Amino acid sequence: MTALLLLVPLLVPFAVPQQARRCLHRLPPTAALWALTLTALVLAGASVAALGALVLTGLLKLPFFAGLGELIHPLDTPSDLVVLPAAAAATGALTLGALTLVRSALRQFRAFRTARMQADRRPAAGDLCVIDSPHPDAYALPGRPHRIVVTTAMLRSLAPEEREALFAHERAHNAGGHHRFLVVADLAAHCHPGLRPVRAAIGLAVERAADEAAAVAVGDRRLTARAIARAALATRAARSERPDFAPAATTGPVPQRVAALLAPPVRGRPRAASWIAVPLALCAVLSAGASTTGVVTIHHQVEVAQGEAAR
């Protein structure tokens, strides 16, 4: 029974991407961003806890680790033919996830350090830092202070009013702390492969939220759409060295974002929004509940095996 409970957090994330796409289409971008990020965080934590519980169960079936755990009775679990392979698979999944996470974190840290040093060496006009480069690029760089980094090639690619729309987009990223959402999305994707499509959905929600904020700031949705489209066309052949958590107006499915800007803005009513987010909330509650129950049950079984609790 415990093993079945621990399978729930490992299977639920595969059902989330479809609901994530629905939220993106039906909710205002900022509401969708929060709903998707919180759901991804809960599902990732529940899956890691479930894998850890499976690993612990398998280890305590081995005499050496049972001795370290001071077990005086056999651990009450299903057959070793089930527990040990499950524990081995969970160990492999956790190890692979940890290795890819560390490798990604090191790569992101190097890219961020390079981008930050490059920006800090140049004079800034307020939060705007212009870098002399033949490659068009623009992005929001987190840190203290926040920076909007734009290359000279990008400035030459846009008309003055389009530049203002682009700057408004990047300022919205910094003002909304969007890099934090991207970090959480990347972390969740390393915890469970089923959450990788959710990472892409969170990235799109981040850009859509900044698109809408920029449209409000410049007062022209068509101008904002045109600026994003022209900036994306300018950067399509360029290679950027920025970290993945530094959001940029040219990332994501640009045609879909432009189409959304050319359409009337999504104005979800609170009651309608709550109904749209219900499936995501149910997935999070189901996964967290099953994981917590499974972990608590295993903890009780360990106490029983140690002679510290009654069956």
Side-chain angles (χ1 to χ4, degrees):
M1 182 63 182
T2 304
L4 292 177
L5 278 175
L6 294 177
L7 281 179
V8 172
L10 304 179
L11 296 176
V12 168
F14 292 109
V16 172
Q18 182 178 0
Q19 298 301 326
R21 288 189 291 269
R22 186 167 176 261
C23 275
L24 278 174
H25 288 100
R26 300 286 299 276
L27 287 178
T30 301
L33 177 59
W34 277 100
L36 292 174
T37 305
L38 291 175
T39 300
L41 186 62
V42 171
L43 293 179
S47 65
V48 169
L51 289 173
L54 289 173
V55 170
L56 177 63
T57 303
L59 289 176
L60 292 178
K61 298 292 285 187
L62 303 176
F64 175 75
F65 291 101
L68 290 179
E70 300 180 349
L71 304 189
I72 60 176
H73 304 295
L75 197 64
D76 184 16
T77 61
S79 168
D80 290 358
L81 296 177
V82 174
V83 172
L84 295 180
T91 302
L94 284 176
T95 303
L96 180 61
L99 290 176
T100 58
L101 177 60
V102 170
R103 184 175 62 181
S104 175
L106 290 175
R107 178 176 60 84
Q108 296 296 324
F109 176 75
R110 287 193 294 266
F112 174 73
R113 183 177 59 182
T114 300
R116 194 74 214 186
M117 290 175 59
Q118 189 179 41
D120 290 342
R121 284 198 300 263
R122 286 163 174 78
D127 61 348
L128 183 63
C129 177
V130 179
I131 295 177
D132 187 12
S133 172
H135 304 295
D137 198 11
Y139 55 91
L141 184 64
R144 294 186 178 180
H146 291 324
R147 288 280 185 258
I148 297 171
V149 179
V150 60
T151 63
T152 51
M154 177 63 82
L155 294 178
R156 289 193 295 267
S157 301
L158 302 177
E161 64 275 10
E162 293 169 346
R163 296 174 193 167
E164 291 304 317
L166 181 66
F167 297 158
H169 177 102
E170 305 302 350
R171 287 192 177 99
H173 281 315
N174 281 335
H178 289 166
H179 62 284
R180 298 185 181 93
F181 294 92
L182 296 177
V183 168
V184 170
D186 194 53
L187 176 63
H190 285 291
C191 292
H192 195 291
L195 296 175
R196 290 171 188 168
V198 181
R199 173 175 58 185
I202 290 173
L204 177 55
V206 160
E207 294 305 325
R208 285 285 301 117
D211 290 344
E212 294 296 333
V216 172
V218 300
D220 191 334
R221 297 178 67 83
R222 287 186 173 276
L223 170 62
T224 305
R226 187 169 70 247
I228 290 169
R230 292 192 62 179
L233 288 173
T235 59
R236 62 181 176 179
R239 182 175 179 271
S240 177
E241 297 295 334
R242 64 175 177 264
D244 293 343
F245 60 82
T250 56
T251 57
V254 173
Q256 183 178 341
R257 292 168 50 204
V258 169
L261 280 169
L262 295 178
V266 177
R267 301 189 184 278
R269 291 174 294 181
R271 182 173 298 179
S274 64
W275 280 109
I276 294 168
V278 162
L280 285 178
L282 288 176
C283 287
V285 170
L286 176 63
S287 185
S291 176
T292 301
T293 303
V295 169
V296 169
T297 301
I298 289 176
H299 180 264
H300 178 70
Q301 290 173 344
V302 171
E303 289 185 329
V304 170
Q306 291 173 332
E308 297 179 359
R311 292 180 182 272

